[in-house]
Amino acid sequence: MARIKIDKNSSRKEVIVSKAAGLFRERGFKAASMRDLAESVGVEAASLYNHIKSKTELLHEICFGVANRFMHKMDEVESSSIPAIEKVEELIRFHIDEMINHYEEVYVSDREWKHLSDPYLSNFQTQRRMYRKRFAAIIEAGIRNKEIKNIDAPTAVLILLHAIGGIESWHRSTQKINASNLTDNMITILVGGLELK
Amino acid sequence: MARIKIDKNSSRKEVIVSKAAGLFRERGFKAASMRDLAESVGVEAASLYNHIKSKTELLHEICFGVANRFMHKMDEVESSSIPAIEKVEELIRFHIDEMINHYEEVYVSDREWKHLSDPYLSNFQTQRRMYRKRFAAIIEAGIRNKEIKNIDAPTAVLILLHAIGGIESWHRSTQKINASNLTDNMITILVGGLELK
DNA sequence: ATAATATACTAACGGGTGTTAGCAAATAAT
DNA sequence: ATTATTTGCTAACACCCGTTAGTATATTAT
């Protein structure tokens, strides 16, 4: 009888969520079936329901797990007393880091949150909107302090966040430059584009 | 008997493709059903098949329509004799313009091409890879001419293209700045990030 | 007016979906 | 060793999917 293998620090549910993230990333939430997931976990589809409530719950777990990490970082950065441009850089570095090290989850959270259902959906959207507002506020502070070019802050945020999403392509490319080189290049372009010199 | 309404310059098939783009953008290719599409066109699902071969064909039409426009523009820009940094700016402007004026199609082509099936899938991927290579080559030329910072060109391309994808968020936001302001801001940040001053 | 074509309809198909019920086996607790 | 709990299995459900066959009704061409 097949059994889901676990290591000491992760429950069976966590194993399933992790495998689900990989599958949702690869095929999209709708196209990835519970039977696919079961196979990738090494068990029959029905058995998954001993550990999870529904397919959607898997998406909740993934999306809010990611969202919480970003919110946490935002709290930390916001309350630190460094120049605005450095706050921006630290946030960008965190985004890049997350995208590199928790690729599947972050990607899914970014692209598949539409398939959440209420009340989770509106909850997620609100959190996302809040995050961007706070990010924009930092940029606006930087503009007032003449650290950052006089640009539309929400537009800047939107560019930054989506640009970082581009790491997806890096992940799949065959000739990758290494992660720290990638980070440096991104910082150069993005922070360089904002900075008022 | 319901009938698909057409204006002089668009066939019934084109009406369907256009509605499909809207639906695919909104819900994703897999989640949008032919019955949904039929309703949005104002007809029964089966009737669609008098005009199209399959659901996938709709995705072909959308993806390759977009891809061809970009390839065309690349041909034009490549063969013009202006500085590299200006070529980059022109391409960026074209991307922004396309994203603003053909939102649904471009968005779908960007995010849903995974659901194409071979031989279209590999065809599309190849075209995409080619496009990026040519874009990177322009940037590399700019680096050699000291117009552009010494950065990894493929990384720069990846950032640019994804950053422009961010216009998606602009489209959906309630408080939009106007399109030409948006373009100027994006150019400032992106071209400013590349330029060697 | 008649014939030919284009378009839409109803009904149904085979197949895939998420999920549940009921039972068996493995593990943990007593 | 016995009991309780966790985990997995088979079988099946109701539902939605893309698509086709066959037929009726508009539109266009003769």
Side-chain angles (χ1 to χ4, degrees), chain A:
Chain A
M1 224 170 187
R3 208 138 200 277
I4 301 177
K5 286 173 195 165
I6 56 174
D7 54 51
K8 205 160 193 178
N9 298 335
S10 58
S11 67
R12 289 194 165 77
K13 180 169 177 176
E14 285 166 334
V15 171
I16 294 172
V17 171
S18 167
K19 288 276 185 186
L23 225 61
F24 293 169
R25 195 265 308 159
E26 198 181 312
R27 311 194 189 169
F29 177 75
K30 275 282 174 184
S33 78
M34 294 303 279
R35 285 166 178 89
D36 291 338
L37 176 57
E39 187 179 350
S40 118
V41 170
V43 96
E44 291 301 315
S47 308
L48 297 171
Y49 289 84
N50 285 318
H51 307 281
I52 61 162
K53 284 199 288 291
S54 65
K55 186 185 183 184
T56 321
E57 192 205 358
L58 293 169
L59 193 57
H60 302 164
E61 298 272 347
I62 295 167
C63 289
F64 285 91
V66 171
N68 288 340
R69 285 206 299 278
F70 279 109
M71 277 303 188
H72 216 242
K73 184 69 185 182
M74 178 59 84
D75 289 343
E76 180 194 319
V77 167
E78 237 175 16
S79 66
S80 75
S81 46
I82 54 176
I85 187 76
E86 286 178 30
K87 288 185 181 177
V88 171
E89 180 166 339
E90 195 172 335
L91 284 172
I92 294 178
R93 282 191 188 279
F94 184 74
H95 273 267
I96 297 175
D97 203 67
E98 281 285 311
M99 192 65 179
I100 290 176
N101 297 313
H102 306 282
Y103 174 39
E104 320 274 13
E105 278 89 351
V106 175
Y107 181 87
V108 169
S109 167
D110 250 33
R111 317 273 281 223
E112 306 290 333
W113 59 265
K114 280 185 191 179
H115 299 102
L116 287 169
S117 38
D118 270 323
Y120 298 96
L121 177 59
S122 28
N123 209 302
F124 185 85
Q125 285 173 306
T126 307
Q127 249 186 278
R128 182 168 263 247
R129 212 167 20 240
M130 283 301 175
Y131 184 86
R132 289 180 182 187
K133 273 220 172 106
R134 292 167 76 181
F135 206 142
I138 294 177
I139 291 178
E140 268 155 11
I143 295 174
R144 282 193 303 276
N145 296 344
K146 313 278 185 209
E147 301 170 36
I148 293 177
K149 288 176 189 166
N150 185 27
I151 47 174
D152 181 61
T155 302
V157 170
L158 164 170
I159 288 180
L160 293 180
L161 298 189
H162 280 81
I164 293 158
I167 295 177
E168 162 230 344
S169 302
W170 170 83
H171 242 110
R172 271 208 305 267
S173 73
T174 47
Q175 303 180 319
K176 300 185 205 194
I177 63 175
N178 69 47
S180 104
N181 254 341
L182 176 72
T183 307
D184 291 343
N185 272 286
M186 294 194 81
I187 294 285
T188 301
I189 298 173
L190 294 177
V191 177
L194 296 176
E195 221 163 3
L196 186 65
K197 294 170 210 166

Side-chain angles (χ1 to χ4, degrees), chain B:
Chain B
M1 220 169 189
R3 205 131 202 283
I4 300 177
K5 287 173 194 164
I6 57 173
D7 53 51
K8 204 158 195 181
N9 297 335
S10 59
S11 66
R12 289 191 163 78
K13 179 168 177 178
E14 284 166 335
V15 171
I16 294 172
V17 170
S18 166
K19 289 277 185 186
L23 223 64
F24 293 169
R25 195 265 310 158
E26 198 181 314
R27 310 194 189 171
F29 177 75
K30 276 280 175 185
S33 78
M34 294 303 280
R35 285 168 178 87
D36 292 337
L37 176 57
E39 188 180 349
S40 119
V41 170
V43 97
E44 291 300 316
S47 308
L48 297 171
Y49 289 85
N50 286 318
H51 306 280
I52 61 162
K53 283 198 290 291
S54 65
K55 187 185 183 187
T56 320
E57 193 205 359
L58 293 169
L59 193 57
H60 302 162
E61 297 270 348
I62 294 166
C63 289
F64 285 91
V66 171
N68 287 340
R69 286 205 298 278
F70 279 109
M71 276 304 188
H72 218 238
K73 184 68 184 182
M74 179 58 84
D75 289 343
E76 179 193 319
V77 168
E78 236 175 18
S79 66
S80 75
S81 44
I82 55 176
I85 187 74
E86 287 177 28
K87 287 184 183 179
V88 170
E89 178 165 338
E90 194 171 334
L91 284 172
I92 293 178
R93 282 191 190 278
F94 184 74
H95 273 267
I96 296 175
D97 202 70
E98 282 285 312
M99 192 66 178
I100 289 176
N101 297 313
H102 305 282
Y103 175 38
E104 320 274 13
E105 278 89 352
V106 174
Y107 182 87
V108 169
S109 166
D110 251 32
R111 318 272 280 222
E112 306 291 332
W113 59 266
K114 279 186 192 180
H115 299 103
L116 287 169
S117 37
D118 271 321
Y120 297 96
L121 176 59
S122 28
N123 209 303
F124 185 84
Q125 283 173 308
T126 306
Q127 248 185 283
R128 183 169 261 246
R129 211 166 22 240
M130 285 299 175
Y131 184 85
R132 288 180 181 187
K133 274 221 172 106
R134 293 168 75 181
F135 206 142
I138 294 177
I139 292 179
E140 268 155 11
I143 296 174
R144 282 195 302 275
N145 297 345
K146 313 279 184 209
E147 302 169 36
I148 294 178
K149 288 177 189 167
N150 186 26
I151 46 174
D152 181 60
T155 302
V157 171
L158 165 168
I159 288 180
L160 293 181
L161 299 189
H162 280 81
I164 293 159
I167 294 177
E168 163 230 344
S169 302
W170 170 84
H171 244 110
R172 272 207 303 267
S173 72
T174 47
Q175 302 181 319
K176 300 186 207 195
I177 62 174
N178 69 47
S180 104
N181 255 340
L182 175 72
T183 306
D184 290 343
N185 271 285
M186 293 195 81
I187 294 286
T188 302
I189 298 172
L190 294 177
V191 177
L194 297 176
E195 221 161 4
L196 184 65
K197 293 170 209 164

